[in-house]
Structures are given as structure tokens and as C-alpha cells.
Amino acid sequence: MRTPIIAGNWKMFKTVKEAVAFIEDVKGKAEVAGVESVICAPYTNLPALTEAVQGTSLKIGAQNVHFEDSGAFTGEISGLMLKEIGVDYVIIGHSERRAYFAETDEIVNKKVLAAFKHGLLPIVCVGESLEEREAGKTKDVCRVQTEAALQGLTEAQAAQVVVAYEPIWAIGTGKTSTAEDAGEVIGYIRERIAAQFNSDVAGKVRIQYGGSVKPNNIREFMQHPDIDGALVGGASLEPASYISLVEGA
Ligand code: PEP
């Protein structure tokens, strides 16, 4: 009953020309009935991309958003600005932003609330470091991050959130969690959302796995009943690979 969602996280890759050429290549191919397909691109690409996907089922996402609508925040972009150019999704709290740009759980929560204020759907990233995993803290870390991110949302908003469970040690490393392991953590995150809201909300929230997902392992993850798609970095950059990921979902 949950529509699987494949989201490509391009990180800081692709010029506008490259981004538009990518959409031309994947149009009609990375569009599969029953799968939502979202490209999360650098800010500079977003106006051209929202234009390029007109008339397709492809959706466009940003990779960050500021929590204020406007103000003296040099270098930042607000939800108001993203909505105006037709962006649908925004990645919030990616581990790279938590690590390199000091994003705390409190900031992540403010950004999630700001996304909903402007009609953007957040893809909220949670996940443990290798050290935390080895210390047996995986579930605790995911519980704290998820509860903080969703604080203050209405039930209707919470049900629309996409959570991406991304073990940090699996991002860009070629190492993946097993589908069974990822499914267990994702099942636990769903239980916690049920405790924070209710089981109806928890049953609707889509929870992706992320971390070195490729065309050759996507099916394994998708076979797990609790895994609702994937957030994909490296393997989302090439059209053929992205198409295979959407087909695999
Ligand atoms: C990511 O950037 O969220 C990610 C999962 O990257 P990769 O697929 O390259 O591991």
C-alpha cells in the first residue's frame, strides 16, 4: 500500500547542461508505474530541472533548505524559494550535512517543519556511524534522530514524511547493510513512529534504505517488506544506472 520511492541524491555533481541532458535520457524510462522517482539536485540545477520534467512523472528535490522564509542568512535558500520553482521534495539531515555543516537534530526538526510550511515533502536521513554500530547503538541513534526530526508535526504531515535509513559507514563506501539488517532497523523506526504518533501514521510513512545501493543489489533490498525504496548517491548519476534502479524497485 506504500508507493516505493527511489530518490537520487546527486550531491555536488552536475552542471545545468549535464542535469538537463540526464532528464532527456531517463524520460519515459525511469518512469515506472507504481514507483515514485525523484532527482535531488544542486540548487543551481533546480529551475531547469523542474522545467525539464514537465509532462513526466519524474519529481525534483533539493538537498537542503533553510528553516526561515527569508532574512540575513548569506548563502542559504528557503522553502518559499524552492516551492516557487516547482520543487516537490527536500533531503533534510543527510549525514554529510550533519557531519560537515553541523546540523543538529534541532536544526533538522526546524527544517522539516519549514518544508511542510511550504508544501515540500521531506526525505529525512537518519543512521549510525560505524563506531555507534559497533557499540550496539544503532537503534538508539535512529530512534533519537527520527523522534527529534518528526517532533511537532501533525499526524497528517508525519504520514507524508519519507525517512531514509542510511548507515553512515555504508554511504559511498561500497559496503552495504544486508537487506535483513536494514529491514530490522527500518521495522524498529516504524515501531517508534507508531509510538510517537500512531500505527496508522507509521503504516503510511515510507522508509527507504540508503548506502551503496546499486542496480545489482536494489532488488534484494526491495524484496524486504519494510523497505520502501532507496536513497541513492553514486549510482544515481548515470542515466542507465538510474533507470535500472527505478526498474528494480
Ligand atoms: C547518499 O548520498 O545518500 C548515498 C546513499 O550515497 P551512495 O549511494 O553513494 O552510498
Side-chain angles (χ1 to χ4, degrees), residues 9 11 91 94 96 125 166 170-174 210-214 231-235:
N9 173 18
K11 312 192 190 212
I91 297 174
H94 191 280
E96 287 154 16
C125 301
E166 299 207 306
I171 298 179
T173 58
S212 298
V213 174
K214 311 273 181 230
L231 179 58
V232 186

Side-chain angles (χ1 to χ4, degrees), residues 192-212:
R192 297 315 309 168
I193 295 173
Q196 189 176 1
F197 293 91
N198 57 51
S199 55
D200 182 50
V201 168
K204 288 180 178 153
V205 171
R206 290 177 294 173
I207 311 183
Q208 302 171 302
Y209 167 74
S212 298

